[in-house]
Amino acid sequence: QHPSVNVVSILSLPLPELSKKLRDGSLPPDHVFYAYVGKALQIATETNCITEFLQESETQLRKAKLMEKQGLLYGVPVSIKDSIDCQGHDSTLGFIKNINKPAAEDSVVVQVLRRQGAIPFVKTNVPQSLISYDCKNLIFGQTRNPLLYTRTPGGSSGGEGALVGGGGSILGIGTDVGGSLRFPAAFCGICAIKPTGNRLSKRGILAGVVGQRAVAAAVGPLAKDVESLALCLRALLSEDMFSLDSTVPPLPFNEQVYSSTKPLRIGYYETDFFTMPSPAMRRAVRETKQLLEEAGHTLVPFELTNVDYVIFNYCVRGMFADGGSTFVKKFKGEMEKSSMGLFFWLAKAPHWLKTLLSWIAKPFVPRFSSIIRSVKENTVDEVWNLHHEIEDFCHQFIAQWKKLNLDVMLCPMLGPALGIGYPAKLSVAVSYTMLYNALDFPAGVVPVTLVTDEDEEQLKGYKGYYQDWWDRTLAKAFRGSVGMPVAVQCVALPWQEELCLRFMKEVETL
């Protein structure tokens, strides 16, 4: 309708610049809004990433034109993950039973976004139950990676990854309990940060497993670059959030830490000795390390130990401490269970049978044996002990960090994007991300390189640490990825989101 509007130039503006133009009035909000609606429609047609258009966004847009241009995100269209409540819309989690059960009110994060002038305009797809890093359910189907349609966009914030990665949204909000923000960002070549669990409000946000306290979930932003993530956190960490949810610590965004330029002491490791990194993952860490050293930072090797114990005993056992019964109940009456078949069988099998199977499997497939052992019903006493053990582990990890006098840590991130359907077979490959949910540390992802022919060639020698079925499957899943993005993870201590972002910015710049 407006031949004068240059959609291409609007879509090419980074978020800080776009929001500045919206606020100073040099770009009308409706031009920006419809430019993104058009692009989102195109990306949705290609990748199937959107579940719903939020009709009220048009009403909000009309009001925005009459409002004073305040709020850090004035006029910015924002996409929202399916599991985050928006008043009048379903949060399905991919379950048919949740259709036509609209949320009574906005989640706190969405309320704060609106108060900051942002316009939530679409909701995006997730895997059924959220406990997966693929993105498919029976209601909306499979979401594809915008960079290569045969690949998964990651999950569970997969719709966000595809939409932001494809350029159909400039800012997305997702959640993360095992890597659910970091997988989509890494697989789709964008940035994301998973804050400390309670830095942003989770009121009105649905979880895959409710009530478990072993593995910390978090809500956070995805965007094309680090500066955009910082702007989003500045907007969210406002008085609005602290007054709407008094359980969130009133810590406003620390500008001084984020903009500091003093050299950092950075820990790093190339592998967790549990999931063997792909050649591209290893190279991503090495090259980033070298660039950081050349820029004047100090890099210190960090020894990771017992990651297998953390994954099986804290993460799997912690999330399914009731033997998986709460999780299994969610699927009652649902059709789709195929990818979870084995898990359901395990959750329902009697304890003696699991013990026997675990013992038989141990010499041949030790990891499978550990998983069978982890999915068991715990007594209250055992759950308390587990929580105590996780606390101890966290303090030991911090002690090791402090002993080396580190500011931040550089870690591998699983990549490149796996083929569609592979995540369901490779639940063990979440080790690089889930470690930081168990520890509840802020962790961000920055794309740093693309898979080369040489990486692909080296993959032929990929064996894995266990040489079991999972390792063989992962080698297959990595194949044929030349040109796909690979990211690194940037980690900081709890409540140090600004330092984490500062480190991410450094990596992005270099």
Side-chain angles (χ1 to χ4, degrees), residues 442-455:
V445 151
V446 183
V448 293
T449 186
L450 303 174
V451 179
T452 63
D453 291 313
E454 196 186 335
D455 294 328

Side-chain angles (χ1 to χ4, degrees), residues 276-480:
M276 185 179 276
S278 66
M281 283 166 72
R282 230 180 245 276
R283 184 172 60 76
V285 173
R286 279 185 192 161
E287 288 178 2
T288 307
K289 168 192 177 267
Q290 197 180 339
L291 289 168
L292 286 161
E293 281 179 326
E294 286 164 11
H297 302 286
T298 309
L299 277 99
V300 186
F302 190 91
E303 269 300 303
L304 263 197
T305 50
N306 295 349
V307 169
D308 54 342
Y309 189 84
V310 173
I311 294 302
F312 295 128
N313 281 290
Y314 300 164
C315 301
V316 179
R317 196 180 140 208
M319 285 203 51
F320 305 113
D322 60 352
S325 63
T326 305
F327 185 65
V328 168
K329 256 185 230 137
K330 290 204 157 166
F331 288 82
K332 200 171 159 56
E334 297 289 321
M335 317 250 286
E336 167 74 342
K337 299 189 178 88
S338 56
S339 61
M340 293 280 183
L342 179 67
F343 183 84
F344 282 106
W345 186 86
L346 267 180
K348 290 174 179 165
H351 187 62
W352 65 266
L353 183 58
K354 284 191 270 206
T355 311
L356 178 69
L357 277 176
S358 164
W359 180 76
I360 295 170
K362 195 166 186 181
F364 313 106
V365 272
R367 287 199 285 188
F368 182 55
S369 162
S370 301
I371 280 198
I372 300 174
R373 244 196 348 268
S374 306
V375 182
K376 73 175 186 92
E377 208 171 316
N378 291 267
T379 61
V380 174
D381 183 39
E382 287 170 324
V383 174
W384 286 347
N385 277 330
L386 176 69
H387 290 175
H388 179 62
E389 214 183 306
I390 293 172
E391 249 172 67
D392 270 354
F393 164 65
C394 181
H395 288 300
Q396 283 162 16
F397 199 95
I398 293 171
Q400 186 183 350
W401 181 297
K402 295 263 169 85
K403 196 174 159 190
L404 296 170
N405 198 16
L406 304 178
D407 295 307
V408 286
M409 185 110 79
L410 170 70
C411 322
M413 174 63 211
L414 192 77
L418 310 183
I420 282 171
Y422 273 109
K425 306 171 191 165
L426 289 164
S427 51
V428 292
V430 300
S431 59
Y432 287 101
T433 46
M434 206 159 189
L435 171 65
Y436 295 108
N437 293 88
L439 286 164
D440 198 12
F441 286 14
V445 151
V446 183
V448 293
T449 186
L450 303 174
V451 179
T452 63
D453 291 313
E454 196 186 335
D455 294 328
E456 195 67 32
E457 187 53 44
Q458 284 181 9
L459 198 53
K460 290 178 181 161
Y462 185 94
K463 286 274 188 287
Y465 294 118
Y466 293 82
Q467 293 172 25
D468 54 11
W469 180 81
W470 276 312
D471 280 338
R472 290 191 291 280
T473 309
L474 190 54
K476 270 189 228 148
F478 283 140
R479 259 179 233 146

Side-chain angles (χ1 to χ4, degrees), residues 40-346:
L41 191 61
Q42 179 210 326
I43 300 299
T45 311
E46 294 169 10
T47 65
N48 186 33
C49 57
I50 291 176
T51 58
E52 201 173 357
F53 173 64
L54 307 181
Q55 216 70 54
E56 70 275 14
S57 56
E58 299 192 75
T59 317
Q60 205 192 329
L61 177 69
R62 284 196 292 277
K63 282 188 191 150
K65 282 158 58 177
L66 310 170
M67 267 167 49
E68 279 138 58
K69 300 174 177 54
Q70 56 227 56
L72 286 178
L73 297 170
Y74 171 79
V76 175
V78 179
S79 49
I80 308 286
K81 182 178 182 173
D82 165 279
S83 58
I84 300 174
D85 280 349
C86 294
Q87 186 176 8
H89 299 277
D90 295 341
S91 300
T92 67
L93 277 68
F95 288 121
I96 290 165
K97 63 163 91 58
N98 294 341
I99 297 177
N100 295 334
K101 292 195 179 154
E105 62 173 354
D106 283 335
S107 55
V108 168
V109 165
V110 170
Q111 288 183 54
V112 178
L113 285 169
R114 291 196 204 276
R115 290 187 187 187
Q116 287 284 350
I119 304 178
F121 76 116
V122 288
K123 287 195 88 173
T124 56
N125 206 19
V126 294
Q128 186 185 26
S129 85
L130 306 185
I131 308 292
S132 160
Y133 62 104
D134 202 345
C135 192
K136 169 187 182 229
N137 59 65
L138 276 186
I139 308 171
F140 304 106
Q142 173 76 51
T143 300
R144 291 176 290 281
N145 190 308
L147 309 174
L148 187 60
Y149 300 154
T150 55
R151 299 288 155 130
T152 174
S156 61
S157 314
E160 284 302 326
L163 188 60
V164 176
S169 169
I170 196 162
L171 180 64
I173 306 292
T175 61
D176 186 310
V177 75
S180 292
L181 279 160
R182 289 160 289 164
F183 282 115
F187 287 5
C188 299
I190 55 174
C191 300
I193 183 168
K194 171 202 88 67
T196 313
N198 209 31
R199 185 83 198 254
L200 296 175
S201 172
K202 287 180 284 201
R203 292 272 315 144
I205 296 178
L206 301 168
V209 181
V210 184
Q212 65 84 20
R213 288 275 179 271
V215 185
V219 55
L222 306 93
K224 274 266 170 37
D225 54 68
V226 179
E227 200 56 72
S228 304
L229 300 177
L231 178 60
C232 179
L233 284 187
R234 267 185 210 111
L236 288 175
L237 294 170
S238 61
E239 241 349 283
D240 288 330
M241 169 144 332
F242 311 137
S243 65
L244 286 165
D245 184 349
S246 301
T247 67
V248 171
L251 295 170
F253 190 85
N254 189 330
E255 222 49 74
Q256 210 181 336
V257 173
Y258 177 61
S259 53
S260 158
T261 53
K262 76 173 182 62
L264 297 165
R265 253 182 91 83
I266 304 164
Y268 75 95
Y269 53 88
E270 282 180 22
T271 177
D272 64 4
F273 298 107
F274 179 77
T275 305
M276 185 179 276
S278 66
M281 283 166 72
R282 230 180 245 276
R283 184 172 60 76
V285 173
R286 279 185 192 161
E287 288 178 2
T288 307
K289 168 192 177 267
Q290 197 180 339
L291 289 168
L292 286 161
E293 281 179 326
E294 286 164 11
H297 302 286
T298 309
L299 277 99
V300 186
F302 190 91
E303 269 300 303
L304 263 197
T305 50
N306 295 349
V307 169
D308 54 342
Y309 189 84
V310 173
I311 294 302
F312 295 128
N313 281 290
Y314 300 164
C315 301
V316 179
R317 196 180 140 208
M319 285 203 51
F320 305 113
D322 60 352
S325 63
T326 305
F327 185 65
V328 168
K329 256 185 230 137
K330 290 204 157 166
F331 288 82
K332 200 171 159 56
E334 297 289 321
M335 317 250 286
E336 167 74 342
K337 299 189 178 88
S338 56
S339 61
M340 293 280 183
L342 179 67
F343 183 84
F344 282 106
W345 186 86
L346 267 180

